Short mmCIF file of all heavy atoms in Angstrom, two decimals:
data_model
loop_
_atom_site.label_atom_id
_atom_site.label_comp_id
_atom_site.label_asym_id
_atom_site.label_seq_id
_atom_site.Cartn_x
_atom_site.Cartn_y
_atom_site.Cartn_z
N ALA A 979 -38.74 -2.58 -4.95
CA ALA A 979 -38.47 -2.08 -6.32
C ALA A 979 -38.49 -0.55 -6.35
O ALA A 979 -37.61 0.08 -6.96
CB ALA A 979 -39.47 -2.65 -7.30
N SER A 980 -39.44 0.02 -5.68
CA SER A 980 -39.54 1.52 -5.65
C SER A 980 -38.34 2.09 -4.87
O SER A 980 -37.78 3.12 -5.28
CB SER A 980 -40.83 1.96 -5.01
OG SER A 980 -41.94 1.56 -5.81
N ALA A 981 -37.98 1.45 -3.79
CA ALA A 981 -36.93 1.94 -2.96
C ALA A 981 -35.58 1.90 -3.70
O ALA A 981 -34.78 2.82 -3.63
CB ALA A 981 -36.86 1.15 -1.64
N VAL A 982 -35.34 0.82 -4.41
CA VAL A 982 -34.13 0.67 -5.20
C VAL A 982 -34.06 1.75 -6.25
O VAL A 982 -33.01 2.38 -6.47
CB VAL A 982 -33.97 -0.74 -5.81
CG1 VAL A 982 -32.85 -0.76 -6.82
CG2 VAL A 982 -33.80 -1.76 -4.70
N TYR A 983 -35.17 1.99 -6.91
CA TYR A 983 -35.21 3.07 -7.97
C TYR A 983 -34.91 4.42 -7.38
O TYR A 983 -34.08 5.17 -7.90
CB TYR A 983 -36.57 3.07 -8.67
CG TYR A 983 -36.81 4.32 -9.44
CD1 TYR A 983 -36.08 4.56 -10.67
CD2 TYR A 983 -37.74 5.26 -9.04
CE1 TYR A 983 -36.28 5.69 -11.40
CE2 TYR A 983 -37.91 6.46 -9.74
CZ TYR A 983 -37.19 6.65 -10.94
OH TYR A 983 -37.40 7.78 -11.64
N ASN A 984 -35.59 4.76 -6.27
CA ASN A 984 -35.41 6.07 -5.66
C ASN A 984 -33.99 6.22 -5.13
O ASN A 984 -33.40 7.34 -5.19
CB ASN A 984 -36.41 6.25 -4.55
CG ASN A 984 -37.77 6.66 -5.09
OD1 ASN A 984 -38.09 7.81 -5.29
ND2 ASN A 984 -38.60 5.66 -5.36
N TYR A 985 -33.40 5.17 -4.61
CA TYR A 985 -32.04 5.21 -4.13
C TYR A 985 -31.06 5.50 -5.26
O TYR A 985 -30.23 6.42 -5.21
CB TYR A 985 -31.69 3.88 -3.50
CG TYR A 985 -30.20 3.71 -3.21
CD1 TYR A 985 -29.62 4.39 -2.11
CD2 TYR A 985 -29.43 2.87 -3.97
CE1 TYR A 985 -28.26 4.23 -1.88
CE2 TYR A 985 -28.08 2.68 -3.73
CZ TYR A 985 -27.49 3.36 -2.67
OH TYR A 985 -26.15 3.22 -2.45
N GLU A 986 -31.17 4.73 -6.35
CA GLU A 986 -30.23 4.85 -7.46
C GLU A 986 -30.43 6.09 -8.27
O GLU A 986 -29.45 6.76 -8.67
CB GLU A 986 -30.32 3.59 -8.34
CG GLU A 986 -29.36 3.61 -9.51
CD GLU A 986 -29.37 2.32 -10.29
OE1 GLU A 986 -29.90 1.34 -9.84
OE2 GLU A 986 -28.85 2.36 -11.45
N ALA A 987 -31.67 6.43 -8.53
CA ALA A 987 -31.96 7.54 -9.45
C ALA A 987 -31.92 8.89 -8.74
O ALA A 987 -31.63 9.92 -9.39
CB ALA A 987 -33.33 7.33 -10.11
N ALA A 988 -32.19 8.96 -7.44
CA ALA A 988 -32.30 10.24 -6.76
C ALA A 988 -31.39 10.39 -5.57
O ALA A 988 -30.54 11.33 -5.53
CB ALA A 988 -33.74 10.43 -6.33
N TRP A 989 -31.48 9.47 -4.59
CA TRP A 989 -30.74 9.71 -3.35
C TRP A 989 -29.23 9.67 -3.54
O TRP A 989 -28.50 10.56 -3.11
CB TRP A 989 -31.16 8.70 -2.30
CG TRP A 989 -30.24 8.71 -1.09
CD1 TRP A 989 -29.37 7.74 -0.73
CD2 TRP A 989 -30.15 9.74 -0.09
NE1 TRP A 989 -28.73 8.10 0.42
CE2 TRP A 989 -29.16 9.33 0.82
CE3 TRP A 989 -30.79 10.97 0.10
CZ2 TRP A 989 -28.82 10.07 1.90
CZ3 TRP A 989 -30.41 11.76 1.17
CH2 TRP A 989 -29.44 11.35 2.07
N LEU A 990 -28.71 8.63 -4.19
CA LEU A 990 -27.27 8.46 -4.28
C LEU A 990 -26.64 9.64 -5.06
O LEU A 990 -25.64 10.22 -4.60
CB LEU A 990 -26.91 7.12 -4.92
CG LEU A 990 -25.46 6.61 -4.74
CD1 LEU A 990 -25.06 6.55 -3.28
CD2 LEU A 990 -25.28 5.28 -5.42
N PRO A 991 -27.18 10.02 -6.20
CA PRO A 991 -26.61 11.21 -6.90
C PRO A 991 -26.70 12.46 -6.05
O PRO A 991 -25.82 13.32 -6.05
CB PRO A 991 -27.47 11.29 -8.19
CG PRO A 991 -28.00 9.95 -8.39
CD PRO A 991 -28.24 9.41 -6.99
N LYS A 992 -27.79 12.60 -5.32
CA LYS A 992 -27.99 13.81 -4.50
C LYS A 992 -27.02 13.89 -3.37
O LYS A 992 -26.37 14.93 -3.15
CB LYS A 992 -29.45 13.85 -3.94
CG LYS A 992 -29.77 15.24 -3.39
CD LYS A 992 -31.28 15.30 -3.09
CE LYS A 992 -31.72 16.67 -2.61
NZ LYS A 992 -33.15 16.76 -2.35
N ILE A 993 -26.82 12.81 -2.62
CA ILE A 993 -25.86 12.82 -1.55
C ILE A 993 -24.43 12.87 -2.05
O ILE A 993 -23.54 13.44 -1.39
CB ILE A 993 -26.04 11.59 -0.61
CG1 ILE A 993 -25.34 11.81 0.73
CG2 ILE A 993 -25.58 10.33 -1.24
CD1 ILE A 993 -26.03 12.83 1.65
N ALA A 994 -24.19 12.36 -3.24
CA ALA A 994 -22.84 12.40 -3.82
C ALA A 994 -22.51 13.88 -4.18
O ALA A 994 -21.35 14.29 -4.09
CB ALA A 994 -22.78 11.59 -5.11
N GLY A 995 -23.48 14.66 -4.53
CA GLY A 995 -23.27 16.08 -4.87
C GLY A 995 -23.62 17.04 -3.76
O GLY A 995 -23.78 18.23 -3.97
N ALA A 996 -23.76 16.51 -2.53
CA ALA A 996 -24.23 17.33 -1.40
C ALA A 996 -23.30 18.50 -1.09
O ALA A 996 -23.76 19.55 -0.66
CB ALA A 996 -24.42 16.46 -0.17
N THR A 997 -22.02 18.32 -1.35
CA THR A 997 -21.09 19.40 -1.00
C THR A 997 -21.32 20.63 -1.93
O THR A 997 -20.90 21.73 -1.56
CB THR A 997 -19.65 18.95 -1.15
OG1 THR A 997 -19.45 18.38 -2.42
CG2 THR A 997 -19.31 17.84 -0.11
N ALA A 998 -22.01 20.37 -3.03
CA ALA A 998 -22.25 21.48 -3.95
C ALA A 998 -23.56 22.22 -3.68
O ALA A 998 -23.85 23.25 -4.26
CB ALA A 998 -22.26 21.00 -5.43
N LEU A 999 -24.34 21.70 -2.72
CA LEU A 999 -25.62 22.36 -2.40
C LEU A 999 -25.34 23.65 -1.60
O LEU A 999 -24.31 23.79 -0.93
CB LEU A 999 -26.51 21.42 -1.53
CG LEU A 999 -26.98 20.14 -2.20
CD1 LEU A 999 -27.72 19.30 -1.20
CD2 LEU A 999 -27.87 20.47 -3.39
N ALA A 1000 -26.25 24.59 -1.71
CA ALA A 1000 -26.11 25.78 -0.98
C ALA A 1000 -26.18 25.48 0.53
O ALA A 1000 -26.91 24.59 0.95
CB ALA A 1000 -27.20 26.77 -1.35
N ALA A 1001 -25.47 26.28 1.30
CA ALA A 1001 -25.53 26.09 2.78
C ALA A 1001 -26.94 26.17 3.30
O ALA A 1001 -27.69 27.07 2.92
CB ALA A 1001 -24.65 27.14 3.45
N GLY A 1002 -27.30 25.22 4.11
CA GLY A 1002 -28.65 25.25 4.68
C GLY A 1002 -29.68 24.41 3.91
O GLY A 1002 -30.75 24.12 4.40
N ASP A 1003 -29.32 24.01 2.64
CA ASP A 1003 -30.24 23.23 1.90
C ASP A 1003 -30.35 21.84 2.55
O ASP A 1003 -29.37 21.22 2.96
CB ASP A 1003 -29.74 23.02 0.43
CG ASP A 1003 -30.04 24.24 -0.39
OD1 ASP A 1003 -30.66 25.20 0.12
OD2 ASP A 1003 -29.55 24.28 -1.59
N GLY A 1004 -31.56 21.32 2.63
CA GLY A 1004 -31.77 20.01 3.22
C GLY A 1004 -31.71 18.91 2.20
O GLY A 1004 -31.83 19.12 0.96
N LEU A 1005 -31.58 17.65 2.70
CA LEU A 1005 -31.52 16.47 1.89
C LEU A 1005 -32.67 15.58 2.35
O LEU A 1005 -32.59 14.97 3.42
CB LEU A 1005 -30.21 15.75 1.99
CG LEU A 1005 -28.98 16.49 1.46
CD1 LEU A 1005 -27.70 15.81 1.92
CD2 LEU A 1005 -29.03 16.51 -0.07
N SER A 1006 -33.74 15.47 1.57
CA SER A 1006 -34.87 14.68 1.97
C SER A 1006 -34.66 13.26 1.65
O SER A 1006 -34.20 12.88 0.54
CB SER A 1006 -36.14 15.20 1.23
OG SER A 1006 -37.25 14.42 1.55
N VAL A 1007 -34.90 12.36 2.63
CA VAL A 1007 -34.65 10.92 2.41
C VAL A 1007 -35.71 10.14 3.19
O VAL A 1007 -36.13 10.52 4.26
CB VAL A 1007 -33.23 10.55 2.88
CG1 VAL A 1007 -33.09 10.76 4.36
CG2 VAL A 1007 -32.89 9.10 2.53
N SER A 1008 -36.12 9.01 2.57
CA SER A 1008 -37.07 8.12 3.22
C SER A 1008 -36.34 6.96 3.91
O SER A 1008 -35.21 6.65 3.60
CB SER A 1008 -38.04 7.58 2.17
OG SER A 1008 -37.42 6.64 1.37
N PHE A 1009 -37.02 6.35 4.83
CA PHE A 1009 -36.53 5.17 5.55
C PHE A 1009 -36.18 4.06 4.51
O PHE A 1009 -35.15 3.40 4.65
CB PHE A 1009 -37.54 4.70 6.55
CG PHE A 1009 -37.08 3.49 7.32
CD1 PHE A 1009 -36.40 3.65 8.55
CD2 PHE A 1009 -37.35 2.19 6.90
CE1 PHE A 1009 -36.03 2.56 9.30
CE2 PHE A 1009 -36.94 1.09 7.63
CZ PHE A 1009 -36.24 1.28 8.87
N ASP A 1010 -37.06 3.90 3.53
CA ASP A 1010 -36.88 2.83 2.53
C ASP A 1010 -35.56 2.99 1.78
O ASP A 1010 -34.84 2.03 1.53
CB ASP A 1010 -38.04 2.78 1.56
CG ASP A 1010 -39.34 2.46 2.18
OD1 ASP A 1010 -39.47 2.55 3.49
OD2 ASP A 1010 -40.29 2.13 1.47
N VAL A 1011 -35.24 4.22 1.43
CA VAL A 1011 -34.03 4.49 0.68
C VAL A 1011 -32.80 4.24 1.54
O VAL A 1011 -31.76 3.74 1.10
CB VAL A 1011 -34.06 5.94 0.15
CG1 VAL A 1011 -32.66 6.39 -0.28
CG2 VAL A 1011 -35.06 6.07 -1.05
N LEU A 1012 -32.88 4.65 2.81
CA LEU A 1012 -31.76 4.39 3.75
C LEU A 1012 -31.51 2.90 3.87
O LEU A 1012 -30.36 2.46 4.01
CB LEU A 1012 -32.06 5.02 5.13
CG LEU A 1012 -32.06 6.51 5.15
CD1 LEU A 1012 -32.55 7.01 6.50
CD2 LEU A 1012 -30.70 7.07 4.86
N TRP A 1013 -32.55 2.09 3.85
CA TRP A 1013 -32.42 0.64 3.90
C TRP A 1013 -31.64 0.12 2.69
O TRP A 1013 -30.73 -0.70 2.82
CB TRP A 1013 -33.80 0.01 3.96
CG TRP A 1013 -33.96 -1.45 3.74
CD1 TRP A 1013 -34.80 -2.06 2.87
CD2 TRP A 1013 -33.24 -2.53 4.40
NE1 TRP A 1013 -34.69 -3.40 2.91
CE2 TRP A 1013 -33.73 -3.74 3.86
CE3 TRP A 1013 -32.27 -2.52 5.39
CZ2 TRP A 1013 -33.28 -4.97 4.29
CZ3 TRP A 1013 -31.82 -3.80 5.79
CH2 TRP A 1013 -32.34 -4.98 5.29
N VAL A 1014 -31.98 0.62 1.55
CA VAL A 1014 -31.20 0.19 0.31
C VAL A 1014 -29.77 0.63 0.43
O VAL A 1014 -28.85 -0.12 0.06
CB VAL A 1014 -31.92 0.78 -0.93
CG1 VAL A 1014 -31.09 0.39 -2.18
CG2 VAL A 1014 -33.32 0.36 -1.07
N TRP A 1015 -29.51 1.77 0.95
CA TRP A 1015 -28.14 2.29 1.07
C TRP A 1015 -27.37 1.38 2.00
O TRP A 1015 -26.21 1.03 1.70
CB TRP A 1015 -28.17 3.71 1.61
CG TRP A 1015 -26.92 4.49 1.48
CD1 TRP A 1015 -25.85 4.24 0.66
CD2 TRP A 1015 -26.55 5.64 2.22
NE1 TRP A 1015 -24.88 5.22 0.83
CE2 TRP A 1015 -25.29 6.08 1.80
CE3 TRP A 1015 -27.20 6.42 3.23
CZ2 TRP A 1015 -24.61 7.18 2.31
CZ3 TRP A 1015 -26.53 7.52 3.73
CH2 TRP A 1015 -25.26 7.90 3.30
N HIS A 1016 -27.96 1.00 3.12
CA HIS A 1016 -27.28 0.08 4.06
C HIS A 1016 -26.90 -1.20 3.34
O HIS A 1016 -25.73 -1.67 3.48
CB HIS A 1016 -28.23 -0.22 5.22
CG HIS A 1016 -27.83 -1.38 6.04
ND1 HIS A 1016 -26.82 -1.35 6.97
CD2 HIS A 1016 -28.32 -2.66 6.06
CE1 HIS A 1016 -26.68 -2.55 7.51
NE2 HIS A 1016 -27.59 -3.35 6.99
N VAL A 1017 -27.80 -1.81 2.59
CA VAL A 1017 -27.52 -3.06 1.93
C VAL A 1017 -26.46 -2.90 0.84
O VAL A 1017 -25.59 -3.76 0.68
CB VAL A 1017 -28.83 -3.68 1.33
CG1 VAL A 1017 -28.53 -4.93 0.52
CG2 VAL A 1017 -29.81 -4.00 2.44
N HIS A 1018 -26.47 -1.79 0.11
CA HIS A 1018 -25.48 -1.57 -0.92
C HIS A 1018 -24.08 -1.54 -0.31
O HIS A 1018 -23.14 -2.12 -0.85
CB HIS A 1018 -25.79 -0.25 -1.62
CG HIS A 1018 -25.04 -0.07 -2.94
ND1 HIS A 1018 -25.10 1.08 -3.64
CD2 HIS A 1018 -24.28 -0.90 -3.64
CE1 HIS A 1018 -24.38 0.99 -4.75
NE2 HIS A 1018 -23.87 -0.23 -4.75
N LYS A 1019 -23.99 -0.98 0.85
CA LYS A 1019 -22.64 -0.86 1.49
C LYS A 1019 -22.15 -2.19 2.06
O LYS A 1019 -21.01 -2.38 2.40
CB LYS A 1019 -22.65 0.18 2.60
CG LYS A 1019 -22.74 1.60 2.01
CD LYS A 1019 -22.50 2.71 3.02
CE LYS A 1019 -23.67 2.95 3.91
NZ LYS A 1019 -23.50 4.11 4.78
N LEU A 1020 -23.07 -3.20 2.15
CA LEU A 1020 -22.65 -4.55 2.54
C LEU A 1020 -21.87 -5.31 1.47
O LEU A 1020 -21.43 -6.44 1.69
CB LEU A 1020 -23.85 -5.36 3.03
CG LEU A 1020 -24.57 -4.83 4.31
CD1 LEU A 1020 -25.70 -5.77 4.64
CD2 LEU A 1020 -23.62 -4.64 5.44
N SER A 1021 -21.76 -4.67 0.31
CA SER A 1021 -20.88 -5.18 -0.75
C SER A 1021 -19.81 -4.14 -0.98
O SER A 1021 -19.88 -3.32 -1.87
CB SER A 1021 -21.71 -5.38 -2.05
OG SER A 1021 -20.88 -5.85 -3.09
N PRO A 1022 -18.77 -4.10 -0.10
CA PRO A 1022 -17.84 -2.99 -0.08
C PRO A 1022 -17.12 -2.75 -1.41
O PRO A 1022 -16.95 -1.61 -1.81
CB PRO A 1022 -16.86 -3.35 1.03
CG PRO A 1022 -17.05 -4.80 1.28
CD PRO A 1022 -18.45 -5.12 0.94
N LEU A 1023 -16.72 -3.80 -2.10
CA LEU A 1023 -16.06 -3.59 -3.38
C LEU A 1023 -17.06 -3.16 -4.46
O LEU A 1023 -16.74 -2.28 -5.30
CB LEU A 1023 -15.33 -4.85 -3.85
CG LEU A 1023 -14.20 -5.30 -2.93
CD1 LEU A 1023 -13.40 -6.43 -3.57
CD2 LEU A 1023 -13.19 -4.15 -2.62
N GLY A 1024 -18.25 -3.73 -4.43
CA GLY A 1024 -19.28 -3.33 -5.39
C GLY A 1024 -19.70 -1.92 -5.15
O GLY A 1024 -19.92 -1.13 -6.12
N TYR A 1025 -19.90 -1.51 -3.91
CA TYR A 1025 -20.33 -0.16 -3.58
C TYR A 1025 -19.23 0.84 -4.05
O TYR A 1025 -19.52 1.85 -4.66
CB TYR A 1025 -20.57 0.02 -2.10
CG TYR A 1025 -20.99 1.37 -1.65
CD1 TYR A 1025 -22.30 1.80 -1.85
CD2 TYR A 1025 -20.10 2.28 -1.07
CE1 TYR A 1025 -22.74 3.06 -1.48
CE2 TYR A 1025 -20.52 3.56 -0.65
CZ TYR A 1025 -21.82 3.93 -0.87
OH TYR A 1025 -22.23 5.20 -0.52
N ARG A 1026 -18.00 0.50 -3.77
CA ARG A 1026 -16.91 1.34 -4.19
C ARG A 1026 -16.87 1.48 -5.70
O ARG A 1026 -16.69 2.59 -6.26
CB ARG A 1026 -15.59 0.78 -3.65
CG ARG A 1026 -14.40 1.69 -3.75
CD ARG A 1026 -13.16 1.11 -3.06
NE ARG A 1026 -12.15 2.14 -2.90
CZ ARG A 1026 -12.09 3.01 -1.95
NH1 ARG A 1026 -13.01 2.99 -1.00
NH2 ARG A 1026 -11.13 3.88 -1.89
N ARG A 1027 -16.99 0.40 -6.41
CA ARG A 1027 -16.97 0.38 -7.84
C ARG A 1027 -18.08 1.20 -8.44
O ARG A 1027 -17.92 2.03 -9.33
CB ARG A 1027 -17.03 -1.05 -8.37
CG ARG A 1027 -17.00 -1.24 -9.86
CD ARG A 1027 -16.84 -2.70 -10.24
NE ARG A 1027 -17.87 -3.52 -9.63
CZ ARG A 1027 -17.67 -4.46 -8.71
NH1 ARG A 1027 -16.50 -4.62 -8.19
NH2 ARG A 1027 -18.70 -5.14 -8.24
N ASP A 1028 -19.32 1.01 -7.91
CA ASP A 1028 -20.47 1.78 -8.40
C ASP A 1028 -20.28 3.27 -8.18
O ASP A 1028 -20.62 4.07 -9.09
CB ASP A 1028 -21.74 1.28 -7.70
CG ASP A 1028 -22.19 -0.09 -8.19
OD1 ASP A 1028 -21.87 -0.47 -9.31
OD2 ASP A 1028 -22.88 -0.79 -7.42
N CYS A 1029 -19.79 3.67 -7.04
CA CYS A 1029 -19.59 5.08 -6.74
C CYS A 1029 -18.52 5.67 -7.64
O CYS A 1029 -18.69 6.77 -8.17
CB CYS A 1029 -19.19 5.28 -5.25
SG CYS A 1029 -20.55 4.99 -4.09
N LEU A 1030 -17.39 5.01 -7.78
CA LEU A 1030 -16.29 5.53 -8.58
C LEU A 1030 -16.69 5.69 -10.05
O LEU A 1030 -16.38 6.68 -10.74
CB LEU A 1030 -15.09 4.62 -8.46
CG LEU A 1030 -14.38 4.67 -7.10
CD1 LEU A 1030 -13.24 3.64 -7.10
CD2 LEU A 1030 -13.83 6.05 -6.80
N GLU A 1031 -17.44 4.68 -10.56
CA GLU A 1031 -17.89 4.73 -11.96
C GLU A 1031 -18.87 5.90 -12.23
O GLU A 1031 -18.85 6.50 -13.28
CB GLU A 1031 -18.52 3.44 -12.38
CG GLU A 1031 -17.50 2.28 -12.50
CD GLU A 1031 -18.16 1.00 -12.94
OE1 GLU A 1031 -19.42 0.94 -13.00
OE2 GLU A 1031 -17.41 -0.01 -13.18
N ARG A 1032 -19.66 6.17 -11.24
CA ARG A 1032 -20.74 7.20 -11.43
C ARG A 1032 -20.34 8.60 -10.96
O ARG A 1032 -20.79 9.57 -11.54
CB ARG A 1032 -22.03 6.77 -10.69
CG ARG A 1032 -22.55 5.41 -11.13
CD ARG A 1032 -23.90 5.11 -10.56
NE ARG A 1032 -24.97 5.98 -11.15
CZ ARG A 1032 -26.22 5.93 -10.79
NH1 ARG A 1032 -26.63 5.05 -9.92
NH2 ARG A 1032 -27.10 6.73 -11.34
#
Side-chain angles (χ1 to χ4, degrees):
S980 294
V982 169
Y983 165 71
N984 281 273
Y985 168 76
E986 182 176 343
W989 169 251
L990 197 57
K992 192 170 185 178
I993 196 71
T997 54
L999 294 177
D1003 283 355
L1005 293 166
S1006 178
V1007 63
S1008 73
F1009 182 90
D1010 296 15
V1011 165
L1012 291 172
W1013 167 232
V1014 178
W1015 195 20
H1016 165 77
V1017 175
H1018 195 185
K1019 289 191 284 188
L1020 294 183
S1021 178
L1023 296 188
Y1025 182 76
R1026 191 173 194 85
R1027 181 171 56 247
D1028 287 335
C1029 288
L1030 291 174
E1031 288 180 355
R1032 302 189 69 179

